[in-house]
Amino acid sequence: MLNDTRRPGPTVLVWGVVASALLTGLVWLLGQRLHGIALLPDQGASWYYWKLPDPTFWTRASAWLGYAAHQLVSWGLIYYAQTRVRRYTTGLHRLNVVALAANGAFIGLHALQTQVFYDGLAQDVSIFSSQGSVVLLLVVVLLMENRRRGLVLTWSAPISAQVVGFARRYHGYLFSWAAIYTFWYHPMESSSGHLIGFFYMFLLLVQSSLMFTTSHTNRWWTLTLELLVAAHGTLVAVMNSGPNGMWPMFFFGFVAIFVLTQMHGVGLSAGTRWWIGGTFVVAALAVYSWRGLGRIDEVVRIPLIEYLLVAVLAVLIWAGVRLARPAASPTRAASPRRRGA
């Protein structure tokens, strides 16, 4: 068992947010040196703009090797925590300090790699893979928290404890992949969209580093991480398409999930939740009165997609667990002792 470095949980989170903000400022500062890089013209929604017109072996290899090393170290630390630590503390395990230092080192490596080679993973994979990884992370959280806060208005979907248990046990590996893959997908550019995204990724890396601490399971902290995607998606949509673009779909879509699901897990009173829900409805009606009520279906698109993905993921996990379970032998299945147990 590793020794603990005792610190109050909220202090760790405050320092994590401060460090993430400082790192985001560093990304902005270093990004000023990248303005002279020539890029191809934007070619639409499926095109990622920030990649070199003529990539080389080393521009590609530097991104993929950096990502692979970061990913393997992170997974190794998660495995060590699950097999050697296995208990929660209000402070930091030494392993958490190692994880924070490792993530800091790889953030520095990616900053250097961007300055020298520029390209991220985006040169070789679709932009939708980066967006999809974060969506998958959010969907798994909905699945894991189904029994505690419900899926829709405190109603819990009939998802078996076995499925939820599997997701809880292995979610760290998936969440680590989603954050690190997205982090290395982008070069460390200084556009507003990049800065918002990197700040969010830094917070997720802090969260992944705090495994087996009470900070990691702080309900207000985890709710904030879930809800930040609404701010990120909305701001990026405004920057990309202006005030007449698709920002209401992202804002009201993700906030709808907050109203339907997420706000029911932090102990808010019924009156407060009714007030929040009413404010959401009034705001949505006001915006779509201007935007056109014929487009109000945008509000339900993201919630429907995420809830449908929860169902699909639950079925896939259930099927995978059943297939992986060794079949009972006829002799064991017929044992009276086994039946009695």
Side-chain angles (χ1 to χ4, degrees), residues 3 5 12-13 23 36 71 83 99 112 120 156 194 208 217 219 239 266-267 270 298 323:
N3 294 327
T5 303
V12 174
L13 296 178
L23 287 170
Q71 190 67 84
T83 56
L112 177 63
S156 295
H194 280 86
S208 70
T217 56
R219 298 306 180 194
M239 295 167 192
V266 289
E298 292 175 352
L323 288 173

Side-chain angles (χ1 to χ4, degrees), residues 27-28 31-32 35 50 188-198 239:
V27 173
W28 174 83
Q32 307 311 304
H35 290 168
W50 292 274
M188 280 186 150
E189 270 281 4
S190 59
S191 74
S192 299
H194 280 86
L195 294 177
I196 296 168
F198 276 121
M239 295 167 192

Side-chain angles (χ1 to χ4, degrees), residues 148-149 219 261-268 273:
R148 184 180 68 86
R149 67 188 182 189
R219 298 306 180 194
T261 306
Q262 295 161 348
M263 74 173 180
H264 303 288
V266 289
L268 296 175
R273 285 178 282 163

Side-chain angles (χ1 to χ4, degrees), residues 49-134:
Y49 176 72
W50 292 274
K51 57 184 181 180
L52 295 177
D54 298 305
T56 68
F57 170 82
W58 287 112
T59 60
R60 284 188 159 103
S62 62
W64 282 104
L65 289 174
Y67 160 70
H70 193 174
Q71 190 67 84
L72 291 174
V73 168
S74 177
W75 281 343
L77 290 171
I78 293 171
Y79 178 78
Y80 188 94
Q82 288 188 335
T83 56
R84 300 292 184 87
V85 179
R86 297 182 297 182
R87 67 182 178 89
Y88 280 81
T89 178
T90 56
L92 295 179
H93 298 286
R94 301 242 176 152
L95 181 68
N96 301 126
V97 178
V98 172
L100 289 166
N103 279 316
F106 280 111
I107 289 170
L109 177 63
H110 190 23
L112 177 63
Q113 182 267 336
T114 298
Q115 293 295 317
V116 177
F117 299 106
Y118 188 76
D119 261 346
L121 305 183
Q123 188 66 246
D124 300 308
V125 288
S126 167
I127 188 173
F128 300 116
S129 66
S130 174
Q131 297 169 352
S133 66
V134 177

Side-chain angles (χ1 to χ4, degrees), residues 250-271:
F250 293 98
F251 177 77
F252 288 109
F254 286 118
V255 174
I257 297 174
F258 169 74
V259 172
L260 292 171
T261 306
Q262 295 161 348
M263 74 173 180
H264 303 288
V266 289
L268 296 175
S269 67

